[in-house]
């Protein structure tokens, strides 16, 4: 039985990058179908965060860096100020989804921001990331200009907020059950196992 997993992320969220290892372990050890879904934490016109203010350095010191050290993931608070919006990066994610490259694209986008300190709100950076995972540059440029994709991104955002109830990321939905925070691989596998066991038992009773 294949278990459907939706992973809601924003590319400026370090915890979304740090949960990738648990998702990869889950994919190796269980029969799951993972879909990366967008959730922009601060869509226009909400102001984005600035690394020179108190909030980001405090969160990174108290939570991000300790978790990254524990997981052995190289990560650094980006210097881009204010932090970029991610709507355009998510518009190209749609193209990556269509070509089976969504997870590679998302990982490359996280690395560009959190390891290479690149401004992932800029078209050229988004295009570089897209090409690096095998997407066609011209198709990615077209995606960036597509009003249809922009409307679809807004619909995806509305779905996350209003249909699923996502308020923060990462948000991992396992067959309709939303897990918040950064669950370990063990917790993810236990959640999948419990749902599969319940479905199997229900089938046996029918």
């Amino acid at each position: 039985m294949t278990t459907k997993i939706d992973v809601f992320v924003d590319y400026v969220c370090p915890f979304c990058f740090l949960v990738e290892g648990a998702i990869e372990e889950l994919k190796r050890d269980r029969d799951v179908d993972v879909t990366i879904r967008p959730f922009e934490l601060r869509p226009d016109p909400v102001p984005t965060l600035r690394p020179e203010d108190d909030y980001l350095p405090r969160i990174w010191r108290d939570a991000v860096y300790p978790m990254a050290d524990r997981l052995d993931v190289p990560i650094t608070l980006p210097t881009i100020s204010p932090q970029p919006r991610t709507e355009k990066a998510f518009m190209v994610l749609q193209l990556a989804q269509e070509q089976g490259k969504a997870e590679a694209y998302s990982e490359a986008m996280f690395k560009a921001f959190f390891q290479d300190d690149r401004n992932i709100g800029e078209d050229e950076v988004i295009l570089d990331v897209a090409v690096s995972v095998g997407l066609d540059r011209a198709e990615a440029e077209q995606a960036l200009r597509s009003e249809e994709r922009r409307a679809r991104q807004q619909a995806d955002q509305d779905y996350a907020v209003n249909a699923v109830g996502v308020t923060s990321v990462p948000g991992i939905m396992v067959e309709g059950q939303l897990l918040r925070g950064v669950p370990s691989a063990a917790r993810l596998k236990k959640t999948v196992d419990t749902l599969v066991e319940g479905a199997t038992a229900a089938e046996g009773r029918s």
Side-chain angles (χ1 to χ4, degrees):
M1 173 183 171
T2 301
T3 303
K4 181 175 172 55
I5 312 285
D6 286 340
V7 183
F8 293 86
V9 303
D10 195 356
Y11 294 137
V12 295
C13 168
F15 300 107
C16 295
F17 184 28
L18 294 176
V19 83
E20 284 201 325
I23 299 294
E24 284 302 311
E25 184 174 332
L26 177 67
K27 287 170 57 183
R28 286 195 305 268
D29 295 348
R30 298 293 186 273
D31 180 10
V32 295
D33 179 19
V34 175
T35 301
I36 306 297
R37 295 193 177 274
F39 178 78
E40 195 173 0
L41 283 165
R42 296 169 187 86
D44 189 46
V46 179
T48 62
L49 301 177
R50 297 176 179 271
E52 63 268 26
D53 293 340
D54 292 339
Y55 176 76
L56 280 174
R58 184 177 74 252
I59 292 296
W60 277 71
R61 182 188 67 241
D62 295 346
V64 178
Y65 283 128
M67 184 179 296
D69 288 343
R70 190 168 67 251
L71 298 173
D72 195 25
V73 176
I75 190 171
T76 303
L77 173 60
T79 62
I80 293 95
S81 182
Q83 289 198 325
R85 300 194 186 280
T86 46
E87 178 189 55
K88 291 191 290 186
F90 284 138
M91 289 163 63
V92 178
L93 171 65
Q94 296 171 20
L95 177 66
Q97 291 276 23
E98 292 158 10
Q99 300 190 11
K101 301 178 185 296
E103 290 173 58
Y105 172 83
S106 293
E107 181 179 5
M109 194 64 70
F110 284 127
K111 287 182 175 179
F113 191 50
F114 291 117
Q115 294 181 347
D116 300 333
D117 200 19
R118 302 185 74 188
N119 186 346
I120 59 171
E122 293 182 348
D123 289 5
E124 279 304 312
V125 174
I126 296 170
L127 292 172
D128 283 350
V129 169
V131 170
S132 77
V133 299
L135 295 176
D136 179 79
R137 184 182 180 92
E139 290 182 351
E141 286 178 334
Q142 188 176 22
L144 281 174
R145 295 192 299 268
S146 171
E147 288 305 315
E148 179 185 346
R149 290 195 184 278
R150 191 180 305 277
R152 195 188 311 173
Q153 163 57 20
Q154 184 57 60
D156 287 342
Q157 182 81 7
D158 291 343
Y159 170 77
V161 174
N162 298 317
V164 181
V166 177
T167 56
S168 62
V169 284
I172 302 173
M173 191 163 67
V174 183
E175 292 289 353
Q177 179 177 332
L178 186 62
L179 306 180
R180 303 179 190 277
V182 186
S184 65
R187 182 184 172 200
L188 286 173
K189 286 186 277 191
K190 182 177 180 181
T191 300
V192 168
D193 291 344
T194 299
L195 289 171
V196 169
E197 288 167 6
T200 301
E203 286 178 4
R205 291 192 298 270
S206 61

